[in-house]
Amino acid sequence: LTSTSHLHLSPPPLTSISHLHLLLPTTKLFIDGKFVESKTSEWIDIHNPATNEVVSRVPKATQEEMRAAALSCSRAFPSWADTSILSRQQIFLRYQQLIKDNIKELAGLITLEQGKTLADAEGDVFRGLQVVEHTCSVTSLMLGETLPSITKDMDTYTYRLPIGVCAGIAPFNFPAMIPLWMFPMGLVCGNTYLMKPSERVPGCTMLLAKLLQDAGLPDGTLNIIHGQHAAVNFICDDPAIKAISFVGSNQAGEYIYQRGSHNGKRVQSNMGAKNHGVVMPDANKENTLNQLVGAAFGAAGQRCMALSTAVLVGEARAWLPQLVERSRALRVNAGDQPGADVGPLISPQAKARVSALIQSGVDQGASLLLDGRNVQVKGYENGNFVGPTILGNVTPEMTCYTEEIFGPVLVVLEVDNLDDAIAMINKNPYGNGTAIFTNNGATARKFTHEVDVGQVGINVPIPVPLPMFSFTGSRGSFRGDTNFYGKQGIQFYTQIKTVTSQWKAEDATITSPAVSMPT
Ligand code: NAD
């Protein structure tokens, strides 16, 4: 936690003068059950994206601190793996209640450090909470398999067992949900866990760790380090760590997948996206327009499942002016202000990058139908705001189409028929999510079966699966072979032991050695 965690919610006005910096709250490391101040000399400022004021500092943990955290995980592993599954379940039953009780405070931390609106921040916590609730079914989820009498007097059964120390590396855009995809699933299976939250939004993870400690998690079972590349390299290289869960950009994800795999670790790596929403002319127009606008601009487009690319098919082209008008009506404001629909981007660099990508579209021949670049938010003139932006007449060669923008920008392409829409999506390097809007079952079925994308929505704009399923992703959006949460998540965090046993009646004696393979 921070030394004065209440300051997280009402930060003092600060300048960048260095002696004032020293008064800032600091994010602690969580090592061996204690929230400790880092001894590092390297700190990263955390800004409120709505004002760009520095609200706290996060350390780049030293090598010694990271080693201490990993060692704590290793030491805690044998007794945690041996803790009865019912006791582990009880801790997570208490944990889910504590998250519910503290949802407002968690959401407040998210809005302060990440910028999204308070309502959306509560949704962020809620979707992570659902994964925690799911972990409470561990007694069913971890069931093994048995096959009796595979031959005379012989039975085979499998156990699902933890694999050891696991680690998670999280992105900035879902400060609650994505860490909650990681450590609860890993821990409930009997692993110990080393977590590295995004250095831009660590506050929420720290409170989540405190709540898990309050729920009864033993010391050393969960450790938290902070930092950037050095922390990531430590996780990829430390021999005690057996598995890495990563969510973030392709640049980091490909690197972590390669480095971690090279060192013999399991790695699941969820990465970037370019999600297409295909609008068929037979769709329910009112619903489709509202769903598209919400999914394109919610969280200021900083969702890996944001519907950032609209594909208007045939006569649905005529809906474009209404799409623009509805998008224009969204209210851009600081996330903690009443009525805010679209909050700020995470940083001035993100704002500059998004603005440059909008300009690239204009330069390459797209039509700028709605331009949010110069939006002014009264009282928050220094915030990283970009208003809803729509680029029409976009073609697949344009940079605004090939790059993940990760901002409140909807690019609109037009095609003549469903086959062309499917071909376009399958040619795009990413395969995270997609949606089709239609009232025709045969159209929806064809789309579902032919599109090569992990998550498909039919009249559902952001089809993030509930935790009894798994969050998937194909092609450039995922590396690894077992996905996050659901049955796949349990597989990722467990290994199988297969036991074959033979209990013969006493009079059934083996009379000679069997030197050939049994047939
Ligand atoms: P990011 O890759 O910059 O950061 C993610 C994590 O990796 C952080 O903890 C960071 O410290 C670390 N990191 C950053 N750069 C690194 C590098 N070069 N080498 C090693 N480690 C590095 O991602 P972000 O900006 O925090 O998050 C946004 C990205 O995450 C978007 O691309 C978005 O699509 C993706 N995302 C994907 C999913 C999914 O499930 N597919 C979900 C959420 C976000």
Side-chain angles (χ1 to χ4, degrees):
L1 292 178
T2 57
S3 49
T4 42
S5 61
H6 63 281
L7 285 183
H8 256 315
L9 292 172
S10 51
L14 288 164
T15 68
S16 58
I17 300 169
S18 58
H19 68 273
L20 282 182
H21 250 79
L22 299 176
L23 300 175
L24 283 167
T26 52
T27 310
K28 305 294 181 263
L29 303 165
F30 185 47
I31 300 183
D32 222 23
K34 293 180 192 63
F35 291 92
V36 292
E37 185 86 318
S38 173
K39 296 195 166 51
T40 188
S41 55
E42 290 182 272
W43 293 83
I44 304 163
D45 288 342
I46 296 174
H47 298 86
N48 176 346
T51 60
N52 271 311
E53 284 173 349
V54 183
V55 293
S56 58
R57 298 188 302 155
V58 64
K60 290 188 188 176
T62 65
Q63 290 294 326
E64 197 184 346
E65 289 163 344
M66 295 192 284
R67 278 196 299 273
L71 192 63
S72 169
C73 286
S74 294
R75 275 199 306 256
F77 176 66
S79 68
W80 178 241
D82 225 22
T83 299
S84 80
I85 202 157
L86 292 179
S87 305
R88 299 205 301 260
Q89 183 190 38
Q90 284 301 318
I91 292 172
F92 283 90
L93 282 163
R94 289 193 288 274
Y95 190 40
Q96 56 84 27
Q97 186 58 47
L98 288 176
I99 293 175
K100 282 183 192 139
D101 295 344
N102 289 276
I103 195 163
K104 297 265 178 227
E105 194 175 346
L106 289 161
L109 285 170
I110 293 173
T111 299
L112 178 74
E113 293 183 346
Q114 200 275 351
K116 64 177 74 174
T117 67
L118 281 171
D120 197 33
E122 279 196 37
D124 185 336
V125 181
F126 184 77
R127 295 307 296 261
L129 169 65
Q130 289 178 320
V131 178
V132 176
E133 288 171 340
H134 190 60
T135 64
C136 298
S137 315
V138 62
T139 42
S140 308
L141 296 171
M142 273 187 77
L143 282 177
E145 295 173 333
T146 63
L147 193 59
S149 303
I150 53 160
T151 184
K152 182 134 180 50
D153 300 327
M154 191 177 280
D155 310 310
T156 298
Y157 45 97
T158 61
Y159 296 113
R160 283 206 168 275
L161 298 168
I163 48 182
V165 181
C166 300
I169 302 169
F172 80 85
N173 65 329
F174 281 100
M177 180 182 82
I178 289 177
L180 289 174
W181 287 2
M182 296 175 173
F183 63 81
M185 292 292 293
L187 288 168
V188 84
C189 292
N191 304 288
T192 53
Y193 214 94
L194 182 64
M195 188 70 212
K196 191 202 90 63
S198 166
E199 66 280 14
R200 298 190 265 187
V201 293
C204 181
T205 302
M206 300 315 289
L207 181 52
L208 287 169
K210 175 75 173 69
L211 298 176
L212 188 50
Q213 187 178 47
D214 293 348
L217 192 80
D219 291 350
T221 314
L222 172 67
N223 286 271
I224 299 179
I225 57 171
H226 301 293
Q228 294 170 313
H229 299 81
V232 165
N233 287 343
F234 176 84
I235 287 171
C236 291
D237 296 346
D238 188 85
I241 295 168
K242 303 295 179 220
I244 303 172
S245 294
F246 169 82
V247 178
S249 65
N250 282 63
Q251 194 193 7
E254 296 283 6
Y255 172 79
I256 290 166
Y257 183 75
Q258 282 189 21
R259 189 157 174 159
S261 307
H262 178 75
N263 286 326
K265 301 175 200 294
R266 287 185 188 181
V267 184
Q268 53 178 191
S269 177
N270 270 12
M271 301 179 291
K274 196 82 182 173
N275 308 311
H276 298 66
V278 176
V279 182
M280 300 302 291
D282 63 21
N284 177 318
K285 185 173 169 185
E286 191 63 18
N287 289 357
T288 302
L289 291 175
N290 285 331
Q291 288 178 308
L292 255 182
V293 171
F297 302 117
Q302 296 175 119
R303 290 180 182 142
C304 68
M305 288 288 281
L307 215 47
S308 55
T309 309
V311 185
L312 306 182
V313 181
E315 287 153 24
R317 290 174 163 109
W319 301 1
L320 189 51
Q322 283 155 287
L323 187 65
V324 174
E325 282 327 301
R326 267 168 222 225
S327 307
R328 197 192 301 279
L330 293 178
R331 289 154 301 183
V332 183
N333 209 338
D336 61 359
Q337 292 303 299
D341 294 313
V342 178
L345 293 171
I346 185 71
S347 63
Q349 294 77 9
K351 179 176 169 166
R353 185 179 162 276
V354 168
S355 301
L357 279 165
I358 297 170
Q359 189 56 42
S360 79
V362 175
D363 295 345
Q364 291 174 352
S367 324
L368 189 54
L369 304 173
L370 186 60
D371 184 0
R373 285 176 296 179
N374 295 319
V375 69
Q376 291 297 321
V377 180
K378 203 159 173 285
Y380 295 91
E381 286 75 11
N382 290 331
N384 311 316
F385 294 96
V386 174
T389 298
I390 298 185
L391 287 163
N393 287 322
V394 171
T395 57
E397 302 73 41
M398 292 181 188
T399 314
C400 64
Y401 177 79
T402 55
E403 294 258 324
E404 179 183 34
I405 300 179
F406 223 56
V409 182
L410 180 66
V411 299
V412 183
L413 296 94
E414 297 175 13
V415 294
D416 291 334
N417 55 48
L418 181 62
D419 284 317
D420 289 350
I422 294 171
M424 177 192 290
I425 297 171
N426 288 348
K427 223 173 149 193
N428 189 281
Y430 296 107
N432 204 41
T434 187
I436 187 164
F437 300 92
T438 179
N439 271 328
N440 183 317
T443 301
R445 187 180 187 285
K446 176 181 164 71
F447 181 75
T448 310
H449 284 257
E450 293 184 13
V451 79
D452 182 7
V453 173
Q455 264 99 209
V456 182
I458 301 168
N459 300 319
V460 175
I462 305 194
V464 174
L466 286 173
M468 57 296 279
F469 297 93
S470 297
F471 189 102
T472 53
S474 72
R475 298 181 286 137
S477 296
F478 180 69
R479 291 275 173 267
D481 54 12
T482 22
N483 293 108
F484 279 80
Y485 64 77
K487 287 190 189 121
Q488 299 246 317
I490 297 288
Q491 263 182 46
F492 183 77
Y493 286 124
T494 54
Q495 57 188 327
I496 282 179
K497 183 180 279 181
T498 311
V499 180
T500 301
S501 69
Q502 190 173 46
W503 293 102
K504 284 182 176 296
E506 267 185 38
D507 56 348
T509 310
I510 298 169
T511 50
S512 59
V515 288
S516 335
M517 284 293 283
T519 53

